[in-house]
Amino acid sequence: MSLPHILVLPGLPELAAEQLKAGAWVLHPPQAVGSPPAGAPIVGLVASGGTAVPNSLIDALSDLKIIAVHGVGYDRVDVAHARSRGVVVTNTPDVLSADVADLALALTLSTLRRLPAAERWLRAGDWAAGGKFPLARSATGLRYGVLGLGRIGREIARRLEPFAGELAYHSRKPVADVAWRHAPDPVALAASVDVLIVAVPGGPATKGLVDARVLEALGPDGVLINIARGEVVDEEALIAALAEGRLGGAGLDVFAREPNVPQALLDSDRCVLAPHIGSATVEARTAMAALMIANLEAALAGEAAPTPVA
Ligand code: 8YV
C-alpha cells in the first residue's frame, strides 16, 4: 500500500518536524512549497500556528483531507473555505495553555520590575561602578485586566489572582463560572486597570482591537502585555504611545510582522521583548507535536480527529 503524502509548510519547529519523520507517510518539506509538489497526492498539510495557508493552496491540493495546525491559533486558515472543500482543520489546544500563561506572567513581572534593563545595567558594570538602578513598580496589589477569557486567558487570570489587587476581564459575553469583574468593552477594561494582558485569538475579528483609544485608556502608568497575536495591537499606535510617554510600558511576545520587530520597540527601554516563545518549552512542544500527529493519523484513517477546530 502506498504511503500518504504530507506537505509541511515552512516555520514548523524542529522538534515537531523530527516527530513527524517517525510517521508512516511521505513528507514534503518546506522547500517544496510555492507550488504543490507535482504528481504527489497530498492528503495532509501541516502548518505552524502563525503560518498562512492560502485558499489557493487548499484549492490546488485536490486530495487534501486535513490541515493539521501545530498551535492553538488557526487565524491564518480560512476554516469555512477548507470545510467547503471537505477538509478538516485541527489545532493543538490545552497542551500549551499553562506555558503560554506562565510567559504572560513572566513578561508582566519583567516589565513592571524592569528586569531585562536591570540585568543590562548590571552587566554593563554600572552597579560595580557605584550606580543605583531606578525604582520599579510593585506588581502586588495592581489592577489587572485580561482581554479574552478563553483557555489561555483563564490560566493567566488564575495565576494573577494571588497577587492582583483587582482582576477584571473582557470577553464578548460574561463568563458564567468566574467571579472576576466583566468589563463591557476593551476601552472600559483598559480604563479600569493598571496592566492589560491580551489573550484573544487572532484573525479579522480581533485585528487592531487594541487601538489608540485602548492605549490612551490604559494611560501613562499603564502596562500592555501581548502573548496573543501581533496584529491584535495597533503597533504604530503602541510605538507612538510609548515614545510620547502616554503608555508606561509593554511586554511583547508577538509582533505584527514576525520575525521583524520595529526598531522603535528594539530601542525602547520601556519594552520587554520575546521572540514568540509562549509555547516554546520541551513539554508543550512535545505534546503539541503528538496531538498534531494524532489528528493527522485519525483524519487519514477516516476517523474523527481528536481536536478539530470549532
Ligand atoms: C507556536 C502559536 O509558536 O499556538 C499558537 O498559536 O502561535 C505558538 O504556540 C506555533 O504555533 C509553533 O508552531
Side-chain angles (χ1 to χ4, degrees), residues 11-13 47-50 69-75 92 96 100 228-229 276-280 285 288:
L12 189 72
S48 266
V69 175
H70 177 268
V72 67
Y74 50 90
D75 41 296
T92 62
L96 44 59
V100 178
R229 285 287 184 262
H276 198 147
I277 53 169
S279 69
R285 289 285 171 83
M288 287 162 70

Side-chain angles (χ1 to χ4, degrees), residues 63-88:
D63 297 294
L64 193 62
K65 289 190 168 64
I66 174 170
I67 299 172
V69 175
H70 177 268
V72 67
Y74 50 90
D75 41 296
R76 301 188 74 189
V77 182
D78 184 341
V79 178
H81 184 77
R83 198 171 287 149
S84 75
R85 315 256 338 173
V87 176
V88 65

Side-chain angles (χ1 to χ4, degrees), residues 288-304:
M288 287 162 70
L291 187 49
M292 177 190 73
I293 288 170
N295 277 313
L296 272 178
E297 287 173 343
L300 298 184
E303 295 159 11

Side-chain angles (χ1 to χ4, degrees), residues 156-220:
I156 294 170
R158 281 191 335 111
R159 281 162 175 70
L160 290 167
E161 214 163 21
F163 63 92
E166 204 212 338
L167 197 48
Y169 70 97
H170 169 71
S171 55
R172 273 171 300 182
K173 288 193 214 121
V175 177
D177 60 343
V178 301
W180 309 311
R181 177 173 62 82
H182 177 257
D185 57 66
V187 173
L189 179 65
S192 64
V193 298
D194 302 297
V195 181
L196 181 67
I197 303 177
V198 183
V200 288
T206 56
K207 191 168 190 295
L209 187 67
V210 177
D211 58 11
R213 287 180 324 133
V214 174
L215 299 173
E216 206 67 45
L218 201 47

